[in-house]
Amino acid sequence: MLISGWKSISMVDVHGKVTFTLWLCGCNLKCPFCHNWRVAESKECFPLDKKALLEEVETSSFLIDYFHVTGGEPLIQWKELGGLFAQVKLLDIPISLNSNLTIIKPLERLVKAELIDHIATDLKAPPTKLYGLPENVSIKLWKLFLKGLDVVSQYSLPLELRIPVAKGFEAWNWIEEGLSHISTDFYVVLNPLVGKPLTYPRDEEWCSKHCWPRKEVDNLKKRLEELGIEVYVNSWSSQ
Ligand code: SF4
């Protein structure tokens, strides 16, 4: 398994939880705002030393709420990931997966095998602008994402729904469509997109037009709260 690293105690990867976080390399999307694009493109990655990882996970186990796997897109390496999850489960530690939910069959397999206890995902709206891929491909991937939300709901997995907020797009119809596929416990975390000097996005020109939203964040928070949804906003300083 190709990874870019891990952090044995993290307080910022899942809202209100302490996690042991592992970053896996590779991704099937090309989000222009991605600040983990080196991980997504498998640059600066190395093979996992599973024994060392599991020893460290065991040592941290009394402090953590979840073993959290993120990336990149972890389901790219789903077979190896399933094996790792099974070993972490033996330590009696709940597992949280951050996925873009577009790789459906592997997601279903891991969920059916009861290897996942919590999901975090981004609702990237509009996908035609935020996936960084040709429009027809983005639409297909969006449909897969909606199926992914169906799977999460079908198995009643608790969900952290993250919404990256960009400037200058009409996103609400996409967000409403995504929300209509969620029937499990969830809350929303709004992530205003940021660029330099806080992060180094994949496409700086794109980010100069669409990062650093202001009124979009307040408007979206208000609309979601009007629907009775619990909403948290990641401030720029916390990112
Ligand atoms: S933001 Fe996430 S889904 Fe998008 S390219 Fe980066 S790692 Fe992949």
Side-chain angles (χ1 to χ4, degrees):
M1 194 179 316
L2 213 51
I3 69 161
S4 73
W6 67 68
K7 194 171 177 187
S8 52
I9 300 288
S10 168
M11 316 261 277
V12 296
D13 290 315
V14 176
H15 181 81
K17 301 288 182 192
V18 181
T19 63
F20 185 113
T21 301
L22 172 69
W23 282 265
L24 261 58
C25 293
C27 188
N28 56 331
L29 304 188
K30 290 233 177 304
C31 309
F33 58 87
C34 181
H35 58 263
N36 273 350
W37 57 272
R38 285 184 192 80
V39 178
E41 292 180 9
S42 298
K43 295 182 165 135
E44 300 161 16
C45 294
F46 53 90
L48 170 67
D49 178 343
K50 208 194 257 190
K51 187 167 171 288
L53 173 82
L54 288 170
E55 278 172 9
E56 221 173 293
V57 171
E58 191 167 12
T59 307
S60 310
S61 61
F62 73 103
L63 286 169
I64 59 175
D65 298 305
Y66 288 118
F67 176 69
H68 180 64
V69 178
T70 184
E73 171 48 54
L75 290 177
I76 293 269
Q77 304 185 72
W78 71 274
K79 279 190 188 152
E80 299 89 337
L81 187 61
L84 176 63
F85 281 174
Q87 285 177 283
V88 172
K89 278 276 169 189
L90 292 176
L91 301 173
D92 207 18
I93 299 171
I95 290 173
S96 168
L97 174 70
N98 177 21
S99 166
N100 62 38
L101 296 186
T102 61
I103 303 182
I104 298 300
K105 288 267 179 278
L107 172 72
E108 275 181 322
R109 283 200 190 192
L110 298 184
V111 170
K112 262 190 200 160
E114 299 186 355
L115 291 173
I116 300 175
D117 302 288
H118 173 267
I119 293 280
T121 193
D122 274 5
L123 190 164
K124 301 182 210 292
T128 46
K129 306 293 179 195
L130 268 60
Y131 283 177
L133 294 167
E135 190 161 322
N136 59 336
V137 179
S138 299
I139 295 290
K140 279 185 194 156
L141 287 164
W142 173 256
K143 288 185 179 150
L144 291 170
F145 169 71
L146 296 177
K147 270 193 196 163
L149 290 177
D150 292 338
V151 171
V152 173
S153 295
Q154 188 189 339
Y155 287 86
S156 303
L157 293 175
L159 172 68
E160 175 169 303
L161 185 72
R162 303 164 178 175
I163 304 183
V165 186
K167 227 170 32 185
F169 296 125
E170 187 42 68
W172 183 248
N173 288 349
W174 299 96
I175 293 171
E176 267 194 321
E177 189 179 19
L179 293 174
S180 73
H181 284 257
I182 301 174
S183 58
T184 189
D185 270 357
F186 80 107
Y187 54 85
V188 167
V189 177
L190 298 183
N191 285 321
L193 294 180
V194 296
K196 275 181 171 177
L198 285 189
T199 65
Y200 290 85
R202 172 183 270 128
D203 185 339
E204 285 177 20
E205 196 188 331
W206 186 96
C207 196
S208 69
K209 291 183 197 137
H210 300 294
C211 292
W212 308 104
R214 284 207 178 270
K215 63 176 186 347
E216 290 85 352
V217 180
D218 294 339
N219 291 346
L220 185 51
K221 182 170 187 288
K222 190 161 166 274
R223 280 182 109 161
L224 291 165
E225 285 177 341
E226 279 168 4
L227 296 177
I229 295 169
E230 191 180 340
V231 182
Y232 303 95
V233 179
N234 259 342
S235 70
W236 292 337
S237 54
S238 73
Q239 288 184 42

